[in-house]
Amino acid sequence: MSHTAPEHLIIVCCHGIWLGGPVNGHDESEWLISSFQKGETPTFIEHIKAGLRVLGEDDRALLMFSGGPTRKETRLSEARSYANLAEANTYFGYISKDEAVKRISCEERALDSYYNVLFSLTKFWSDYGIWPEKITIVSHAFKRERLVDCHCGAIGFPLNQVDFVGVDPPGVVDGTNVAAMKGIVEAVTQWKEDPHGKGDLLAGKRRKRNPWGISQTLFHNDDDRVRSRVQSSTVREGEECLIDEVPQPWAQSHDR
């Protein structure tokens, strides 16, 4: 990591697992994805490029790929696979390998979009001892409302310090993926009804994506939890959520 703490956290939300291969991710056969994601892997690569581009434009930024090991076929995390793909493609010319070692990190536990944001924030604090001044989220464009308004709003990160870069998969761009279009509205509704994903519906989805039993606590140890001043509670064994409507330290750091 850089000796100077970064101020800007770039979060690339991961959606699949690149297993490696001779064409560096440019053939879908090299990926582990769900059936409904067929044809979307070029979009995943565009998300990686977008994160790298923003990183290259800001010397005080850190890029964090976020996504856990969601498939029983491999313990490789989504985040690590994205980082591997970026390296295999020499970071698409946006940054050097030496820079990448210092300025790219992996958050390898998140199992949904809410925890892409929250776990990336808490890992940033664990690594640097400060909260980011600004975050940029990279994902599908159709997830903007969910990620920014729902998730950042729920955790209390100042929305005027949140940027969003969205790149949609082809089926959403041309409207042919009817199921995806329907799912967009359903997901936003579910998160508005359960902002921290504590209920059986959203928490149940996470459990189904957790074949390796990855811990869903916000920190790896109690010392970090106490020093961070994050207000949270244990919902179930191994699952931790923020306490509703309580000011969190990342919001307070912007008030000073």
Side-chain angles (χ1 to χ4, degrees):
M1 295 295 179
S2 172
H3 293 297
T4 303
E7 299 174 350
H8 176 194
L9 172 61
I10 304 161
I11 304 167
V12 173
C13 301
C14 303
H15 299 93
I17 297 174
W18 178 59
L19 296 171
V23 295
N24 299 333
H26 295 277
D27 188 312
E28 203 148 274
S29 66
E30 295 182 350
W31 289 79
L32 270 178
I33 57 173
S34 299
S35 58
F36 70 86
Q37 295 174 306
K38 183 176 176 59
E40 293 188 9
T41 56
T43 305
F44 303 162
I45 294 175
E46 290 304 311
H47 293 162
I48 295 171
K49 289 180 179 178
L52 290 167
R53 183 178 67 252
V54 177
L55 182 67
E57 293 171 350
D58 186 351
D59 291 339
R60 299 305 302 275
L62 173 84
L63 172 60
M64 194 173 291
F65 294 114
S66 174
T70 54
R71 298 291 294 248
K72 64 182 180 181
E73 296 93 332
T74 178
R75 290 203 69 141
L76 180 67
S77 71
E78 295 176 347
R80 184 63 58 187
S81 82
Y82 274 44
N84 291 345
L85 190 148
E87 181 180 12
N89 287 279
T90 59
Y91 305 99
F92 299 97
Y94 288 109
I95 61 170
S96 69
K97 184 173 182 178
D98 287 344
E99 284 184 283
V101 171
K102 300 174 183 177
R103 303 181 64 208
I104 294 179
S105 182
C106 291
E107 182 290 301
E108 300 185 79
R109 298 190 298 125
L111 303 172
D112 64 19
S113 55
Y114 174 89
Y115 282 97
N116 284 143
V117 177
L118 186 53
F119 281 162
S120 294
L121 270 178
T122 57
K123 178 171 171 52
F124 185 98
W125 186 89
S126 293
D127 289 344
Y128 296 102
I130 61 171
W131 300 105
E133 292 293 321
K134 171 185 176 181
I135 63 175
T136 295
I137 302 171
V138 181
S139 185
H140 297 317
F142 71 77
K143 290 188 176 182
R144 181 188 182 103
E145 183 178 5
R146 186 200 312 185
L147 282 156
V148 178
D149 298 337
C150 293
H151 300 338
C152 292
I155 69 174
F157 197 92
L159 297 187
N160 63 348
Q161 296 298 319
V162 179
D163 282 344
F164 183 83
V165 179
V167 182
D168 270 338
V172 174
V173 173
D174 62 21
T176 58
N177 191 335
V178 178
M181 304 302 289
K182 180 181 178 182
I184 293 168
V185 177
E186 289 179 350
V188 169
T189 300
Q190 290 165 6
W191 283 105
K192 285 182 176 179
E193 292 174 350
D194 183 11
H196 297 284
K198 298 179 183 181
D200 289 339
L201 177 61
L202 294 173
K205 289 181 180 180
R206 286 195 299 275
R207 290 188 207 106
K208 290 178 181 178
R209 297 182 190 128
N210 196 8
W212 300 102
I214 300 300
S215 171
Q216 295 296 286
T217 58
L218 299 185
F219 298 95
H220 289 294
N221 58 72
D222 287 334
D223 184 52
D224 275 0
R225 182 175 294 102
V226 171
R227 290 190 300 110
S228 74
R229 297 183 296 110
V230 170
Q231 304 299 304
S232 65
S233 62
T234 300
V235 181
R236 301 169 188 86
E237 185 177 356
E239 298 181 18
E240 186 176 0
C241 290
L242 298 181
I243 297 174
D244 286 319
E245 299 181 4
V246 173
Q248 297 294 347
W250 45 79
Q252 295 167 24
S253 69
H254 287 80
D255 293 337
R256 291 197 295 270

